[in-house]
Amino acid sequence: MKYAVLGTASLAVVLASGSIFAAAQTTGGQATGPGQTRSEFRLSSIFGSNSQAAVNYYTSNLPFSMPKMSVPQFPHRIYNIVDYGAVSGNSGLNTTAINNAIDTAAAAGGGIVEIPAGTWVTGPIVLKSNVNLHLEAGALVQFTPEHSQYPLIPDGSKYTVQSPISATNAQNVAITGNGVFDGSGNTWAPVKQYKLSQKQWEGLIASGGVVSSDGTMWWPSAQGANAQTYMKTHSMTTKQDWENVKDYLRPNMVMFTKCENVLFDGPTFKNSPTHTVKIGNSTNVIIRNTKISNFWYTQNTDGFDISADKNVLMYNDTINTGDDGIALESSSSYYVDASHQAVQNIVIEDCHVYNAHSGFAIGSDTGGGVSNVYVHNDVYNGTVDGLRFKSSIGKGGLVHNIYINGVQMQNIQDYAITFNDSYVDNGADMSSLGSNNSPSWVPQFQDIHIQNVNCDYALQALRMNGTPYAPIQNIDFTNVNIRANKGPTSQYTNNITNKNVIITTGITELGLVLHQ
């Protein structure tokens, strides 16, 4: 069984019975970049993962030129939130105390705002330049479930809800330490009935909230449940209109916008209302030793969203969530011209993703362009897809110079690797997108190098779903081994090359419990 439709060279396919067909060897198509010594090199035994030397290591010997990145430094001045009136426990809000500590530190030229061990209930926290928000081990920052504490903020012609943690136009800013942030997402996010067992669904309903009229969706509030109907029958031109659907809007848990020199090091973010950590239009971002912990059934809770950012380094991060684990996105609003990509120079290494919709994803917004991405030594376990490239006509742009080198996958519930130029979010309104008769913002996935990838079970090994306007092209697979129930499928591709690619089909996974 051979799948020559995938490109100029056929794949080697291993049937469940064990017979092997030798892979055709291709000339060229080799992914460039560092060798396996990166995997063998043990950082912790030499200089530890928290040093500038670690950053230098991860940003060297890449298949593209990566600008020098430096770990942000902060004055050795401590601003303990207790000194500003914060009280541990559940007796009141610490919003004013925490933000006063931040404002005082920023006004003095910067420093470390310290949150000691204990439970600290608060509303939104706004970070400023030259401030490191540091959570000691044993600290839990519990964002209040009182939605009135999160004001609406203008966003073009509409409004969004202020994030529990935000920074805008900040330079030299960090969140560090081994404490935990809880976003009270259970008071915002809906739950689909089919994702739960009958006993879980009954328990959820017993907790309160509202079930949709068709019985398929639980909402924490009637306002959230009725919001879509309200928005269809109102002009949504006033702030009050948006107040009336506030529970439906759901804030990103962490939102950094137009920031420079950003560090996340050590914290855990859990129970997010929607996207967990979203970094937008920012430069020089280091995210390391950071954990995301959301229930797998939560809606739209992407782990890390890198949106129109340049010079981003992620390593030693762990994500367990209900949507994409690590996602790069670049909307057409950031488009400059074909030679400029809004997402550029991204390094992702030594990360673990569990139970997400994907381990690593690009899209669905790609109109601003994505280039120079290196993913290495990641592990994806129990995700819906492993490597996910997705976009659609009306949202697409050039995605190229992507290097995937060394990814291990287990128990992938759908595609180990998927390219989809016709991606549609469930329930999304696609009426404004370009038609197939006059397409605009067409996805262009090309010059992508995937090597040293192993998948121990997926439902389907590979899907390549291109468009006639811009075929998926110049993709090379090297040293790829996938055990799957189903073999590859493909349409509208060009120049797909394979070297030492082995796919085993007809596999079933004993004991695998689907969670989507």
Side-chain angles (χ1 to χ4, degrees), residues 194-273:
Y194 77 84
K195 293 189 175 185
L196 303 182
S197 69
Q198 185 62 32
K199 184 176 181 179
Q200 289 172 324
W201 180 248
E202 291 172 355
L204 183 64
I205 293 174
S207 73
V210 177
V211 177
S212 61
S213 58
D214 62 4
T216 63
M217 183 87 81
W218 174 89
W219 291 86
S221 71
Q223 187 187 80
N226 298 327
Q228 286 182 305
T229 299
Y230 183 95
M231 294 172 73
K232 290 177 181 178
T233 56
H234 291 74
S235 61
M236 304 305 295
T237 56
T238 69
K239 184 177 181 180
Q240 186 58 49
D241 281 332
W242 293 98
E243 286 282 2
N244 292 339
V245 297
K246 183 177 179 179
D247 287 0
Y248 176 78
L249 301 179
R250 291 192 287 157
N252 298 314
M253 185 170 175
V254 181
M255 184 73 210
F256 279 27
T257 306
K258 297 181 180 178
C259 294
E260 185 175 356
N261 300 331
V262 174
L263 173 66
F264 289 78
D265 191 353
T268 295
F269 300 97
K270 61 176 289 190
N271 195 17
S272 176

Side-chain angles (χ1 to χ4, degrees), residues 252 275-280 287 300-307 309 314 324-329 363:
N252 298 314
H275 300 167
T276 310
V277 176
K278 191 176 184 73
I279 311 295
I287 304 172
N300 312 116
T301 52
D302 290 9
F304 294 100
D305 277 351
I306 306 303
S307 179
D309 302 311
M314 296 180 61
D324 290 324
I326 301 169
L328 312 184
E329 57 184 14

Side-chain angles (χ1 to χ4, degrees), residues 276-297:
T276 310
V277 176
K278 191 176 184 73
I279 311 295
N281 200 14
S282 298
T283 306
N284 299 333
V285 178
I286 299 171
I287 304 172
R288 63 188 185 189
N289 311 314
T290 300
K291 281 77 68 179
I292 303 291
S293 181
N294 297 313
F295 292 114
W296 59 263
Y297 56 77

Side-chain angles (χ1 to χ4, degrees), residues 50-52 55-56 68-76 111-112 128-133 170-176 256 259-265 283-288 311 313 315:
N50 294 323
S51 67
Q52 178 63 44
V55 172
N56 296 342
K68 179 177 174 57
M69 300 184 68
S70 297
V71 178
Q73 302 296 312
F74 302 90
H76 290 268
I112 300 169
K128 304 289 180 65
S129 294
N130 302 312
V131 172
N132 176 0
L133 182 65
Q171 295 183 348
N172 213 54
V173 60
I175 302 176
T176 64
F256 279 27
C259 294
E260 185 175 356
N261 300 331
V262 174
L263 173 66
F264 289 78
D265 191 353
T283 306
N284 299 333
V285 178
I286 299 171
I287 304 172
R288 63 188 185 189
N311 309 337
L313 170 62
Y315 65 91

Side-chain angles (χ1 to χ4, degrees), residues 376-387:
H376 179 244
N377 208 35
D378 280 6
V379 175
Y380 310 143
N381 194 327
T383 59
V384 177
D385 295 329
L387 299 171

